[in-house]
């Protein structure tokens, strides 16, 4: 009887100990699950940070090894200068025809949206093409011709665009160097349907002002020339030339065309489509420690490429920046096995719609790196970023024609 009582007491005591241990295990397991959940939530609300190298240089080397003939596609495209002169002439003609039309009339806005915005987006991308020295063999000729392409845009920007854009190629996704990346403040402040709609409507201002907030490039003679010629033209159109030729409305037409080209316009979809991540990314890939590459460049093969210098072939362009717009389709044809499986967009208009209304897509859907890359054209990069800027992986001839 006593032995039985002792046995029962011992059994009860062991059971209590097991229950306490199980309780501790359950609590520990719950804490671990909660911690993992908090980590996943934090990753969901952050950019796609990665330790992997940007994919374009690696793929370029693989393509050259498999198809060495692609290097013959590099070099200037003579057709570019004629397309630019044609579009610039068309814009001046429309500015002349609208000189006496009220800025607030439907005719003024419809013309600016359908023709003006399309033309100025074309000129934005002509300057993009020229920044890679793909209009002429002479670098100086390219700098000067970019100023000509800038004229109907009404705001001087071609000289500043080049160093920032080449740094974007050289430092894709590098925080503090790639000014195409949204800042942390943008990703937080615009993290809503209204915020994203605001961004898409006024994104031209974000792309114009953000670079100066990240770092400033040196002001060179090309910048002074770009500024002087553009302001002289704008002043002449308003005050010097006869009203029978141009008026202040002509300059307003240029400015409105530039604004709409970077607003809710089908061709403006390329700004978002190129590098925002639209793929569903697994939690494992979100964790940078796993070093799983996240797709960070997307191509588009639709009809709007006809008026945008084939900028939709964006993987192809980043792989071979020295290949001009007319030969990018040939690159795809030669190295199709490298491009067919990559994610792509079917519609730039739908890209904008999805960006605004899809909760899974937003300003934070960009791949970022903390190291790598370099600045092209100098600039007052912060001390924190400067060591990254000196890590040169490519030669300048790889990103400039």
């Amino acid at each position: 009887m006593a032995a039985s009582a002792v046995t029962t007491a011992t059994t009860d005591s062991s059971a209590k100990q097991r229950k306490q241990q199980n309780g501790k295990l359950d609590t520990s397991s719950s804490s671990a699950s909660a911690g993992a959940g908090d980590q996943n939530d934090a990753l969901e609300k952050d950019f796609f940070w990665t330790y992997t190298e940007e994919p374009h240089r690696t793929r370029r080397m693989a393509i050259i090894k498999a198809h060495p003939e692609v290097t013959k596609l590099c070099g200037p495209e003579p057709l570019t200068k004629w397309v630019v002169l044609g579009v610039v002439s068309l814009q001046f003609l429309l500015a002349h025809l609208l000189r006496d039309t009220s800025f607030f009339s439907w005719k003024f806005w419809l013309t600016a949206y359908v023709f003006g915005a399309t033309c100025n987006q074309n000129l934005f991308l002509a300057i993009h093409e020229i920044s890679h020295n793909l209009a002429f063999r002479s670098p100086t000729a390219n700098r000067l011709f970019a100023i000509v392409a800038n004229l109907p845009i009404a705001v001087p920007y071609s000289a500043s665009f080049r160093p920032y854009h080449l740094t974007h190629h050289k430092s894709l996704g590098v925080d503090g160097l790639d000014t195409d990346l949204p800042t942390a403040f943008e990703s937080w402040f615009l993290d809503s349907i209204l915020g994203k709609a605001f961004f898409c409507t006024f994104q031209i201002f974000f792309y114009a002002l953000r670079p100066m907030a990240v770092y400033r490039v040196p002001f060179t003679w090309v910048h002074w020339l770009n500024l002087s010629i553009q302001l002289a033209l704008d002043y002449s159109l308003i005050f010097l030339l006869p009203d029978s030729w141009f008026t202040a409305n002509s300059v307003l037409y240029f400015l409105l065309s530039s604004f709409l080209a970077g607003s809710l316009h089908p061709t403006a979809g390329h700004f978002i489509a190129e590098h925002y991540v639209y793929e569903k990314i697994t939690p494992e890939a979100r964790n940078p420690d796993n070093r799983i590459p996240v797709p960070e460049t997307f191509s588009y093969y639709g009809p709007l490429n006809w008026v945008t210098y084939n900028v939709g072939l964006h993987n192809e362009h980043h792989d071979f920046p020295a290949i001009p717009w007319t030969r990018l389709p040939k690159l795809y044809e030669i190295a199709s096995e490298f491009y067919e499986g990559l994610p792509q967009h079917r519609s730039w208009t739908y890209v904008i719609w999805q960006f605004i209304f899809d909760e899974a897509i937003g300003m934070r859907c960009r791949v970022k790196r903390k190291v790598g890359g370099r600045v092209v054209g100098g600039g007052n990069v912060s001390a924190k970023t400067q060591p990254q800027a000196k890590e040169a992986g490519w030669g300048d001839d790889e990103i400039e024609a």
Side-chain angles (χ1 to χ4, degrees):
M1 188 90 171
S4 177
V6 171
T7 303
T8 302
T10 304
T11 303
D12 291 344
S13 176
S14 299
K16 286 181 180 179
Q17 289 178 357
R18 285 196 298 269
K19 189 174 182 180
Q20 289 174 352
Q21 289 174 354
N22 289 339
K24 290 179 180 179
L25 289 173
D26 291 343
T27 303
S28 176
S29 177
S30 298
S31 300
S33 298
D38 291 341
Q39 184 180 14
N40 287 336
D41 288 343
L43 290 173
E44 287 286 341
K45 296 177 181 179
D46 200 358
F47 294 96
F48 296 102
W49 291 97
T50 183
Y51 297 127
T52 63
E53 182 188 17
E54 60 89 12
H56 299 290
R57 188 184 185 214
T58 303
R59 186 163 54 235
R60 177 169 68 253
M61 297 307 174
I63 291 174
I64 291 175
K65 183 177 181 181
H67 305 283
E69 67 273 19
V70 299
T71 58
K72 297 178 181 179
L73 300 175
C74 298
E77 171 52 69
L79 180 61
T80 299
K81 60 180 176 291
W82 301 116
V83 175
V84 169
L85 292 175
V87 174
V88 168
S89 299
L90 176 59
Q91 278 294 75
F92 272 93
L93 173 61
L94 292 172
H96 165 73
L97 296 175
L98 292 172
R99 67 193 182 282
D100 296 323
T101 303
S102 170
F103 174 79
F104 300 101
S105 68
W106 66 267
K107 179 181 177 182
F108 195 99
W109 279 74
L110 183 63
T111 304
Y113 187 84
V114 175
F115 296 101
T118 304
C119 286
N120 276 15
Q121 184 67 251
N122 178 275
L123 293 173
F124 290 160
L125 294 167
I127 291 171
H128 164 261
E129 191 77 5
I130 296 166
S131 73
H132 290 285
N133 290 340
L134 293 177
F136 301 93
R137 293 195 177 278
S138 163
T140 302
N142 282 286
R143 306 296 169 273
L144 297 177
F145 193 62
I147 296 174
V148 175
N150 197 148
L151 295 178
I153 294 170
V155 177
Y157 100 104
S158 65
S160 296
F161 172 80
R162 182 178 180 273
Y164 283 121
H165 179 67
L166 295 184
T167 299
H168 161 69
H169 273 267
K170 192 71 173 174
S171 309
L172 182 64
V174 178
D175 194 32
L177 291 182
D178 185 356
T179 57
D180 189 61
L181 292 167
T183 62
F185 176 77
E186 289 174 64
S187 68
W188 168 77
F189 187 71
L190 301 173
D191 187 23
S192 66
I193 290 177
L194 287 178
K196 292 187 290 183
F198 180 85
F199 172 76
C200 289
T201 304
F202 299 100
Q203 60 180 314
I204 191 69
F205 296 110
F206 287 88
Y207 286 106
L209 301 176
R210 183 193 297 142
M212 293 181 288
V214 177
Y215 72 91
R216 292 183 297 277
V217 297
F219 213 76
T220 67
W221 68 270
V222 183
H223 292 81
W224 283 115
L225 189 62
N226 185 197
L227 179 67
S228 301
I229 291 177
Q230 191 64 59
L231 294 182
L233 172 70
D234 295 346
Y235 183 84
S236 299
L237 294 178
I238 298 172
F239 299 109
L240 300 182
L241 295 177
D243 288 348
S244 58
W245 291 7
F246 299 99
T247 65
N249 271 9
S250 302
V251 176
L252 286 177
Y253 167 73
F254 285 157
L255 291 170
L256 182 59
S257 297
S258 295
F259 168 72
L260 294 175
S263 184
L264 298 175
H265 190 273
T267 60
H270 84 87
F271 290 121
I272 297 172
E274 290 165 359
H275 296 293
Y276 280 84
V277 179
Y278 273 61
E279 294 286 288
K280 178 67 176 177
I281 305 302
T282 64
E284 292 76 18
R286 274 187 171 274
N287 188 338
D289 293 329
N290 294 329
R291 296 182 178 271
I292 300 174
V294 175
E296 55 191 292
T297 305
F298 292 69
S299 288
Y300 158 80
Y301 300 102
L304 291 180
N305 280 309
W306 283 90
V307 294
T308 56
Y309 288 90
N310 279 326
V311 75
L313 281 71
H314 215 65
N315 271 299
E316 294 83 346
H317 169 64
H318 268 266
D319 289 352
F320 291 89
I323 294 180
W325 60 285
T326 53
R327 299 172 207 152
L328 287 175
K330 185 64 176 177
L331 169 63
Y332 178 92
E333 179 184 334
I334 293 173
S336 59
E337 70 273 20
F338 289 90
Y339 295 116
E340 287 177 347
L342 298 180
Q344 60 180 266
H345 292 291
R346 302 289 182 181
S347 165
W348 279 342
T349 304
Y350 184 62
V351 162
I352 297 174
W353 175 272
Q354 192 176 4
F355 182 83
I356 295 174
F357 293 105
D358 190 334
E359 292 184 356
I361 299 171
M363 303 294 295
R364 67 185 182 279
C365 292
R366 290 292 300 266
V367 174
K368 279 194 175 187
R369 297 173 173 82
K370 290 187 180 295
V371 296
R374 65 185 278 272
V375 172
V376 177
N380 64 333
V381 184
S382 67
K384 176 183 177 183
T385 311
Q386 191 64 38
Q388 304 168 13
K390 293 181 179 179
E391 293 186 14
W394 299 355
D396 285 345
D397 58 338
E398 290 186 83
I399 58 172
E400 303 178 45

